[in-house]
Amino acid sequence: MTDFRVSRRDLLGMAGSFAVLAASGGLARPALARAVPANLTPQDEADLKRIQDYLNGITTMRAKFQQYSERGGIAFGNIYLKRPGFIRIEYEPPSPMLIVSDSVSLHYYDPELDQINRVPVSSSPLWFLLRDDVELGGDVTVTAFKRSPAAFELTIRQTDDAEEGKVVLELGDRPLELRQWTVIDQKNEQVRVGLFEAQFGMDLDQQLFRVPKKK
């Protein structure tokens, strides 16, 4: 029987905060290693430029999501994104957690514990999606790039700390569309988030991104 419960650790993985995941696992900090760029063809480079332009063109997004943990947990909810810097992730019952970025910090609110945890937005590898200018280079490195009919998969690591973890983005093509991402931490544990019914370019009330408060 499938277990539809999701651990709090997996919920934290939704936002891709490797800083929280590493701390909760008691991991020793590895020596910093630079990411090795993928060996790209001219066509790959052209497609990555198209993907970068597409991501920069996303000003707002609203979508439903399905989140899967390799431990078997499944969660559902809604995600709201407003670039630069803002994201809201609402989980459906029985997973009550709320995650909000106010462009400075990621706030994880657990109403069952009435507890809020905060980490800098910049600690998340997904931060490059929220920045004013998305750049698939510089402080992030594309370490793998795959294509299939009408789809792309790219693996992204932090340039100066390749051991911190990675994010795998999957996009459809014709037209370009962000479909899902997978967060893989230092222990190679994965949380996959698939998007559906995604809408782009709508007005989003700034109140969505208010920092949650304890009861």
Side-chain angles (χ1 to χ4, degrees), residues 58-118:
I58 297 176
T59 55
T60 58
M61 180 186 76
R62 177 174 60 213
K64 297 182 181 299
F65 69 83
Q66 296 177 336
Q67 175 185 321
Y68 304 88
S69 163
E70 62 182 352
R71 297 189 186 95
I74 302 175
F76 302 86
N78 296 283
I79 183 169
Y80 304 86
L81 181 147
K82 184 176 183 179
R83 295 183 50 242
F86 298 96
I87 195 167
R88 178 185 179 92
I89 301 165
E90 302 173 341
Y91 285 88
E92 295 178 358
S95 304
M97 185 170 284
L98 172 66
I99 300 173
V100 177
S101 166
D102 59 1
S103 82
V104 176
S105 300
L106 286 167
H107 303 78
Y108 305 84
Y109 176 55
D110 186 337
E112 287 186 349
L113 300 178
D114 195 23
Q115 183 178 75
I116 298 176
N117 294 306
R118 299 176 180 84

Side-chain angles (χ1 to χ4, degrees), residues 15 28 39 55 69 71 75-76 87 94 151 153 177 182:
N39 186 15
L55 295 174
S69 163
R71 297 189 186 95
F76 302 86
I87 195 167
E153 178 184 292
E177 181 182 30
T182 303

Side-chain angles (χ1 to χ4, degrees), residues 34 135-141 159:
R34 288 185 63 83
E135 183 180 2
L136 299 177
D139 55 1
V140 299
T141 296
T159 299

Side-chain angles (χ1 to χ4, degrees), residues 5 28 31 41 64 72 96 103 112 138 152 154 164 173 178:
R5 295 172 298 177
T41 67
K64 297 182 181 299
S103 82
E112 287 186 349
F152 300 107
L154 52 153
E164 182 75 1
D173 195 11
L178 180 61

Side-chain angles (χ1 to χ4, degrees), residues 124-142:
S124 169
L126 290 180
W127 170 236
F128 76 92
L129 286 176
L130 298 177
R131 293 187 297 191
D132 191 25
D133 291 310
V134 177
E135 183 180 2
L136 299 177
D139 55 1
V140 299
T141 296
V142 176

